[in-house]
Amino acid sequence: MLKQDSSPPDEAMIPGKNGASAQDIKFVRSLQQKKFRQQNGLFVVEGKKMVEELLRSPFEIHSIYTAGASFKIPGPAPVIRTKDGDLERMSSFATSPGVLAVVKQKEWKPLEQLTGLSLVLDGMSDPGNMGTIIRTADWFGVEQILCSANCVELWNAKVVQATMGSVFRMPVVYGALPELLKSYIESGKKLVAATMQGTSFQAIEKSFPALLAIGSEANGLSAEVLALATTQISIPGRGKTESLNAGVAAGILMQQLMQ
């Protein structure tokens, strides 16, 4: 379980790599907060599987902290051996998973050419949903994810963890969605909007390239995105619940459109 930290350092200064000093610990803890992640252009990755995924990616590593010699780091990554207690203090988890990396953020650019499915997320504020959607999109081979500026931050610890490593592979672009979508729409790309009132996905003819737009569970898609939609689709249900979780809905629609 992730824990919250409300004690930022006096100043966000990147420490050196000569050992896990008090300043190291304070600095890593500061990256639990968005403003310090933005200020330094860094984020934190925790856990053996996540760090292994990181090491296979092109992301630039600032430093890796690990206790003991149980976790082997291949290559020239800057490794700092430290105590379990220090890792506990650095970790955003209630119990540290034993290895932690500080990583440089990557800025993705929109793809100029589309051949398959791209995902559009509008106002996705829940970090768990966001991370799950990124992981699911990676599974189904989605080309990229375009996010409105008010979506939860990609480098949020809960988002990163929920992706289970897909954050290192999936291009995720933030911006004003009408502007991000404009060139695709003008070149004839289909924008499929998921709504409660749309046609059942079972009756939709699949064609690519296409963009699938998903809104938040609370507010749905914005009027600006709906105005650009080529068609609206929905997921037929038989029960009495009012709506599906946004992450679940995104997974169902990706599976149907990509099969």
Side-chain angles (χ1 to χ4, degrees):
M1 181 175 66
L2 292 170
K3 65 187 179 186
Q4 300 297 320
D5 178 51
S6 58
S7 56
D10 297 330
E11 55 183 337
M13 181 179 66
I14 299 176
K17 302 182 179 67
N18 296 320
S21 66
Q23 180 63 22
D24 287 321
I25 295 168
K26 181 182 280 190
F27 175 72
V28 174
R29 284 172 62 87
S30 79
L31 297 176
Q32 294 179 28
Q33 299 180 58
K34 181 178 179 179
K35 66 178 180 179
F36 290 108
R37 289 194 295 270
Q38 291 179 328
Q39 183 175 329
N40 293 289
L42 298 169
F43 68 105
V44 175
V45 172
E46 296 192 61
K48 183 176 183 290
K49 182 184 185 303
M50 289 290 289
V51 173
E52 286 174 343
E53 293 275 8
L54 166 65
L55 291 167
R56 290 192 287 267
S57 80
F59 276 66
E60 182 180 337
I61 299 171
H62 171 271
S63 50
I64 295 176
Y65 296 89
T66 183
S70 58
F71 186 75
K72 305 297 183 183
I73 309 292
V79 179
I80 300 169
R81 303 287 177 185
T82 189
K83 306 173 188 174
D84 287 324
D86 289 341
L87 280 178
E88 292 285 347
R89 293 170 64 193
M90 293 179 187
S91 179
S92 60
F93 289 84
T95 301
S96 168
V99 60
L100 175 153
V102 177
V103 187
K104 186 175 181 180
Q105 296 175 13
K106 182 178 177 65
E107 184 177 356
W108 299 98
K109 300 295 183 183
L111 297 177
E112 293 184 4
Q113 301 293 328
L114 303 182
T115 58
L117 183 68
S118 290
L119 200 59
V120 178
L121 301 181
D122 189 5
M124 197 67 60
S125 59
D126 182 85
N129 276 342
M130 182 73 161
T132 298
I133 290 171
I134 293 170
R135 182 182 181 184
T136 307
D138 187 21
W139 174 264
F140 283 114
V142 167
E143 291 181 305
Q144 66 177 348
I145 300 176
L146 305 177
C147 298
S148 61
N150 62 339
C151 281
V152 63
E153 178 210 11
L154 179 61
W155 314 116
N156 176 292
K158 292 181 179 180
V159 174
V160 171
Q161 199 65 29
T163 72
M164 292 302 291
S166 293
V167 70
F168 304 124
R169 292 182 292 272
M170 177 60 60
V172 180
V173 182
Y174 284 75
L177 286 181
E179 295 177 11
L180 289 173
L181 294 170
K182 184 179 179 181
S183 64
Y184 297 128
I185 301 298
E186 289 178 347
S187 64
K189 304 298 187 296
K190 181 171 65 175
L191 176 62
V192 180
T195 69
M196 296 295 291
Q197 300 77 34
T199 303
S200 169
F201 62 71
Q202 296 164 331
I204 296 297
E205 182 179 350
K206 303 167 191 174
S207 63
F208 297 100
L211 301 105
L212 170 64
I214 307 286
S216 69
E217 186 175 342
N219 302 311
L221 291 166
S222 64
E224 292 82 2
V225 171
L226 280 174
L228 295 171
T230 310
T231 186
Q232 296 186 25
I233 63 172
S234 64
I235 301 171
R238 298 179 180 177
K240 297 180 180 179
T241 187
E242 292 183 355
S243 64
L244 284 172
N245 170 275
V248 172
I252 292 171
L253 291 174
M254 281 187 276
Q255 194 274 335
Q256 289 296 321
L257 291 174
M258 297 293 282
Q259 70 176 3

